Every structure is written in C-alpha cells, then in structure tokens.
Amino acid sequence: MTSKKKKIVVAMSGGVDSSAALAILKEDGYDCIGVSMQLWDYSKKEDAAGAAAGSCCSLDDIHDARAVADRLDVPFYVLNLEKVFSREVVDYFVSSYLSGATPNPCIKCNEKLKFDALLKKARTLGAELLATGHYARIINVAGGGEDGTGPRLLKGVDDRKDQSYFLFTMTGEQLSNVVFPLGGLTKQEVRAYARKAGLKTSEKKESQEICFVEDGDYAGFMAAGLSDKAAGLAGEIVNSSGLVLGSHRGLFNYTIGQRKGLNLSGGPFYVTAMDREKNRLIVGPVGELFSEGLMAGEINWINREYEKAFNDKGLKDVTVKVRYRHSGVLSAITPAKEGRLKVDFTEPVKAVTPGQAVVFYSGDEVIGGGWIERAIK
C-alpha cells in the first residue's frame, strides 16, 4: 500500500466503474470521499420501480453509489447540480439541435460538471484530488511549460472501453488534480475487482443513453420541449442540386448519415448536410456522405508542445477521430481564421457531423481537439 494519505473525492455515478475506482483508491490508502451529482429531476419521468432504462445518474444510481460507499466505509455526499446541468448541458443540447448540429452532451458534462463544478467542490471538502471511473490514463512528465513537460492524457489500455475521446477539453491544471484509476485495466478486470470487493454494482449493466433522454428518443425530447412550436420548424428536403424531394419535420429530427425516417421515394437516400439558413435537409446517395476534411473551432490543446508546433507551421501525420467509435485517420492540421483550424484527411471519411468533437492523437496521447463546424467535401 502507498504511504500517501491524500484526500480524494471520487465521482460516483452508481455504476461498476466508479464503484471499482473508489474501492481501488481506498485499498491504495487514499482518504476517500464519495460524491454523486444529482443532475436531473426524475420525479416526473420514473415509475416507482426506479431509474429509466439505460440512463445514468438516476435516483436508483445514487442509491447504489451510497450503498457502495457504505460498504467501503467511505463518507458519501450528493451534490445538487441540476441548475448548472440544465444551463450548461441541456440548453446546449437543445440549441445545438435547433442550429442543425448534433451535440455531444457527455463531453460537455465532463467539461462543465465533473472537471469544473465537481473539482471545485472537491477543494471545498479539503480534497487535493478528484477521481472518476473513466477509461483513460494520465502520465506526468517532470517540469512544466511549453517544452513538452507536464501532465499528458493517454488512451485507456482497453481499446473497447477507451474514453479519452470524451476528455479532450481537459486542461493541464485539471489533469494535475485528477486521477483515473481504471485507465490501466480492462472492463473484465474491473468487474472481477468489484466482485472480489463484494460491491453490489459488480454485475450492473452499463448506461447507454443520455441521462435526461429516455429510451434514446432525442427527437421526442426536443419535440416535447418545443410543443406547438415544433410544427413551425418543418421545411424542404432537397438533393445536392437543390431539387425538392419532400419535406422534413424539423432539422432536430435528423443527423448526418441517417437513412431511416426520410419517407422519400427512390433512393436510398442519406442525410448528407443541413442548411440552417434555408431550413433545408440535404440528402443524397451514400457516396455524398464522404468528406475530404473539416473545419473546427473552440480548439483546446492539452499538449502545449504540439500547440506551439501547430501555430508555427501546422501538424502532419496526426490521427484524427471524428466520433467516439471512429478508428481514426491520419490527417494534416493547419491554422485558419479566428482561432479555427482545417483538417485534411489522407482518405475520405464518412458522415463528418457538425456539432461532434474532432479529437487529435499522437499515438496513444490526446494532444487536443475541437468542435466540428462543417465538413469539406
């Protein structure tokens, strides 16, 4: 066991990953505090049986987190962040869809809730560190500054569970105060550890959907919030030449690459783009889904050495991922106006989607990333 007795707050979602993270850190000698974030009011969504299927951070999840903390004899608190979550994540989700983009609320939740609001709360509890159950690794290179030293974010060793894509918004300061106990483990090893520790969450299924959207029905969530306004968002479906093929029910009902639900004759047709200014949904054959590159904004560089090289002359041979399950493609990255950048792929990439994250890797290291603004055909 380590001689360290650092106080650490462990973010507990009620699942097996965060439960195992707490157990690992407690065994390693840390002074642990378990904290769950109450993010959403489920009182009108859940039946008496408990959580909505596939959700996370529900009332039942908080109950499970408390049970794990009790078993491990760790203090446990529930932090109500509903207002922050609504403002920073839900409002972002809605405005993105209304603008014709496809949002990634899990990344925003990490950025605004876990590694901002929760990290600040950890400090008020006297904790030096914050831990989560993410499958990613942090290494520290001695020193600091722009010469390649400082904390580095790496992929988790389990390729099937690696979550580094969702963490590209982290800063060096945050990485210096965060611990990922599961980064060097596989999911199978994590479950085995939880079983051995007797944690009730050891066999719990993983959450698959966004916590505030039941059954993955994003369009239904949007329509319910817009109520009678939704009908006024209908518009034309056109091909790349502008020929009108049909009508859509509001751009928020669709995403790039979608084939089902278009109700068009002929085809097959896929959603290839959205024209927000004209409120048009653009469709075409599968070949029109492929892009040669993209433009991105709101760039965050984790590795300052790469940022400096990028600002000097751009970067070549960087692996770029345009979605979580994307295997990545070698690309060149060059500066563009107003802090944006251009990505040129070495081979065409399918379904580049505005609103999603583009994340840059050098080997296993996440060097930075940004938000996709548009695809370059």
Side-chain angles (χ1 to χ4, degrees):
M1 291 178 58
T2 178
S3 60
K4 294 180 180 179
K5 288 292 181 181
K6 288 186 176 181
K7 184 174 287 188
I8 187 167
V9 163
V10 183
M12 301 189 67
S13 66
V16 63
D17 294 332
S18 58
S19 299
L22 177 66
I24 289 169
L25 292 167
K26 176 71 183 296
E27 183 179 14
D28 200 34
Y30 284 89
D31 181 6
C32 298
I33 302 172
V35 174
S36 284
M37 299 184 294
Q38 183 173 322
L39 303 178
W40 189 251
D41 182 1
Y42 285 89
S43 60
K44 298 179 181 180
K45 297 180 62 172
E46 297 175 353
D47 59 26
S55 69
C56 66
C57 305
S58 69
L59 299 180
D60 276 6
D61 290 322
I62 292 175
H63 175 78
D64 288 344
R66 184 184 298 276
V68 169
D70 287 346
R71 175 170 179 78
L72 297 172
D73 193 25
V74 168
F76 179 80
Y77 302 95
V78 177
L79 180 61
N80 190 324
L81 292 175
E82 289 181 18
K83 290 184 179 179
V84 178
F85 184 75
S86 178
R87 181 180 69 249
E88 299 290 352
V89 180
V90 180
D91 289 354
Y92 148 80
F93 178 88
V94 172
S95 63
S96 294
Y97 265 120
L98 289 177
S99 70
T102 301
N104 196 317
C106 293
I107 293 178
K108 281 294 180 183
C109 186
N110 285 330
E111 178 186 2
K112 301 295 185 180
L113 278 296
K114 290 187 178 73
F115 302 119
D116 186 1
L118 187 55
L119 185 55
K120 291 174 181 175
K121 180 63 176 179
R123 288 166 179 158
T124 68
L125 293 172
E128 300 174 64
L129 301 168
L130 170 69
T132 72
H134 285 98
Y135 286 84
R137 293 174 289 157
I138 299 171
I139 61 171
N140 289 288
V141 180
E146 298 184 355
D147 57 353
T149 57
R152 297 286 176 261
L153 176 63
L154 274 63
K155 294 179 181 179
V157 298
D158 188 340
D159 287 338
R160 295 172 299 176
K161 297 303 301 177
D162 168 50
Q163 294 172 306
S164 60
Y165 173 86
F166 296 102
L167 303 171
F168 85 90
T169 61
M170 294 189 73
T171 66
E173 181 182 1
Q174 290 170 340
L175 289 170
S176 296
N177 293 281
V178 169
V179 177
F180 296 140
L182 309 187
L185 302 174
T186 66
K187 184 73 175 192
Q188 186 177 10
E189 289 171 332
V190 168
R191 286 202 183 275
Y193 188 94
R195 284 189 208 103
K196 184 178 179 180
L199 307 184
K200 68 171 294 185
T201 56
S202 62
E203 309 305 323
K204 190 171 181 179
K205 293 182 179 179
E206 295 183 80
S207 59
Q208 299 295 329
E209 304 296 346
I210 297 171
C211 58
F212 58 91
V213 179
E214 287 186 290
D215 302 320
D217 185 9
Y218 310 142
F221 176 86
M222 290 289 297
L226 294 169
S227 61
D228 58 335
K229 296 180 182 179
L233 298 176
E236 296 175 331
I237 299 178
V238 302
N239 64 15
S240 58
S241 299
L243 178 66
V244 177
L245 303 176
S247 61
H248 66 75
R249 298 171 288 112
L251 296 178
F252 64 84
N253 287 286
Y254 310 89
T255 190
I256 304 300
Q258 180 174 332
R259 178 182 175 183
K260 296 181 179 179
L262 298 178
N263 298 318
L264 299 174
S265 59
F269 293 105
Y270 299 81
V271 176
T272 61
M274 299 184 192
D275 184 341
R276 178 59 186 159
E277 291 185 3
K278 297 181 179 179
N279 192 28
R280 283 182 158 187
L281 189 70
I282 303 171
V283 300
V286 68
E288 293 184 4
L289 279 175
F290 288 86
S291 303
E292 301 296 327
L294 61 84
M295 297 296 297
E298 298 182 61
I299 309 303
N300 180 63
W301 293 99
I302 297 176
N303 188 320
R304 298 299 182 184
E305 184 180 26
Y306 279 94
E307 179 183 21
K308 185 175 184 299
F310 167 79
N311 289 331
D312 287 344
K313 55 183 178 181
L315 296 172
K316 296 181 179 180
D317 298 328
V318 172
T319 299
V320 167
K321 292 180 65 171
V322 300
R323 66 185 68 87
Y324 173 45
R325 293 300 183 186
H326 184 207
S327 59
V329 60
L330 284 177
S331 305
I333 305 174
T334 52
K337 295 180 179 179
E338 299 177 343
R340 294 174 171 81
L341 57 73
K342 180 185 179 186
V343 177
D344 290 295
F345 308 135
T346 56
E347 59 186 66
V349 174
K350 187 178 181 181
V352 174
T353 305
Q356 290 290 290
V358 54
V359 181
F360 316 136
Y361 291 83
S362 176
D364 283 346
E365 181 183 353
V366 179
I367 60 174
W371 296 98
I372 300 172
E373 294 183 344
R374 63 180 177 87
I376 300 173
K377 300 294 185 179

